[in-house]
Amino acid sequence: MLNIGCHLSSSKGFVAMANNAFAIDATTFQFFTRNPQGSKAKDIDLNDVNKFRELFAGKKIVAHAPYTLNPCSDNPNTAEFAELVFVDDLKRMELIPDNYYNFHPGSHVGQGAKIGIEKIAKLLNKIITPNQSTIVLLETMSGKGSEVGSTFEELQEIIKQVELSEKIGVCLDTCHVYSAGYDIVNQLDSVLAEFDKIIGLDRLKAIHLNDSKMPFNSHKDRHEQIGKGTIGLDAFVNIINHQKLKHLPFVLETPNELSGWQQEIKLLKSLSK
């Protein structure tokens, strides 16, 4: 059965997110750990968390770090913020154990990818612990500006430098990889073979399902509703039914409200084999 959901608001707590997921026939979901453009995280209600764990027992969900988290920044204050947020979020994630924490690797802001990669790995080595149950996911990026992580080689180099690499996985974003120059429309098998050769498909833990407003290899990050962009519906049918991918959690980050995500989930489930 297709394991699919969308990005839900965490403003009313975990039980509310679970109920919203059930209401739109989602079996997984993603949420921001805090304001995506800010720093302050809400206090956690342990009763809410415990009820959620009962409701969603056995299911995987994805937490998403704020967009402002940039571990490879050349600004000491920005780097310190990244560390503080990362430490706090991973501590909070242990209240909902055995799930995923996804983050954008960051932008090297002119320092060069090599230095950016070293800074990302250095932070991960500092904060990841042997006993944590959370798997930290590096998200594939589109390559706009000075982003790190738009190639499989860059992601693998980060992983290689992390001492507790068993705690690291990858979240593949369909819009991002298509914009980065990986042709998942016409050469999906070849892209997956390349991923497997460079990173290893065992590292692939989740997929962001997003169509793209921008053309192939544009290095622009503009999400579109499923089937209405340059990737197209047929490509998503191939992705969700691919033998090497169909077991993974799929998360919609398309520009939608709950009712729109409900329709996308219904459509994709109807096309799941």
Side-chain angles (χ1 to χ4, degrees):
M1 183 179 73
L2 184 65
N3 186 15
I4 187 168
C6 61
H7 190 102
L8 297 175
S9 169
S10 61
S11 62
K12 295 183 179 179
F14 282 99
V15 171
M17 286 192 287
N19 287 334
N20 280 335
F22 295 145
I24 62 173
D25 204 23
T27 51
T28 186
F29 65 86
Q30 178 178 268
F31 69 98
F32 279 118
T33 56
R34 58 193 68 218
N35 186 314
Q37 302 298 339
S39 60
K40 178 67 175 175
K42 287 180 58 178
D43 292 336
I44 292 177
D45 181 340
L46 290 179
N47 288 329
D48 178 62
V49 169
N50 290 333
K51 289 177 183 176
F52 167 77
R53 288 175 62 176
E54 293 177 9
L55 283 172
F56 242 70
K59 297 181 175 67
K60 294 283 189 184
I61 61 171
V62 181
H64 199 303
Y67 295 135
T68 46
L69 189 151
N70 184 9
C72 57
S73 173
D74 61 346
N75 184 319
N77 292 330
T78 303
E80 181 182 11
F81 167 79
E83 181 177 342
L84 290 173
V85 169
F86 229 124
V87 169
D88 186 44
D89 280 355
L90 289 183
K91 180 180 178 181
R92 288 164 172 264
M93 287 299 293
E94 290 309 300
L95 295 173
I96 49 169
D98 301 311
N99 284 299
Y100 301 128
Y101 180 77
N102 179 71
F103 79 107
H104 293 182
S107 297
H108 61 72
V109 291
Q111 302 170 95
K114 182 176 185 293
I115 291 176
I117 287 167
E118 289 172 354
K119 287 187 173 184
I120 295 164
K122 182 178 179 181
L123 176 60
L124 292 173
N125 281 327
K126 188 174 182 180
I127 62 176
I128 291 177
T129 64
N131 296 324
Q132 73 180 51
S133 65
T134 303
I135 300 298
V136 176
L137 304 184
L138 300 161
E139 183 170 340
T140 58
M141 304 307 295
S142 64
K144 68 179 186 293
S146 61
E147 279 181 340
V148 176
S150 64
T151 69
F152 297 159
E153 287 84 359
E154 287 183 354
L155 295 174
Q156 174 55 20
E157 188 58 36
I158 296 170
I159 295 168
K160 187 172 76 173
Q161 293 184 31
V162 176
E163 294 161 6
L164 295 173
S165 63
E166 67 274 16
K167 304 293 184 181
I168 302 292
V170 173
C171 176
L172 187 148
D173 186 298
T174 55
C175 171
H176 295 177
V177 294
Y178 190 66
S179 292
Y182 292 98
D183 191 357
I184 57 173
V185 174
N186 301 300
Q187 299 179 30
L188 179 59
D189 284 333
S190 295
V191 171
L192 293 179
E194 185 174 356
F195 186 101
D196 193 32
K197 180 181 178 181
I198 296 169
I199 299 176
L201 279 169
D202 58 316
R203 296 260 185 207
L204 185 56
K205 303 298 183 182
I207 293 181
H208 286 165
L209 278 183
N210 302 304
D211 213 323
S212 177
K213 292 180 183 292
M214 307 303 292
F216 173 69
N217 203 27
S218 63
H219 300 287
K220 302 290 185 182
D221 180 5
R222 296 286 304 282
H223 297 189
E224 180 57 284
Q225 294 174 4
I226 298 299
K228 296 183 179 181
T230 57
I231 296 176
L233 183 59
D234 288 347
F236 290 104
V237 173
N238 292 335
I239 289 167
I240 64 173
N241 289 298
H242 198 285
Q243 289 299 316
K244 294 180 179 178
L245 304 177
K246 62 190 301 182
H247 64 287
L248 297 170
F250 295 93
V251 175
L252 295 159
E253 293 181 321
T254 52
N256 257 323
E257 303 285 337
L258 273 179
S259 59
W261 283 320
Q262 183 176 29
Q263 290 305 310
E264 287 183 326
I265 289 170
K266 181 179 180 180
L267 170 64
L268 290 168
K269 282 191 172 184
S270 73
L271 297 169
S272 175
K273 300 171 185 176

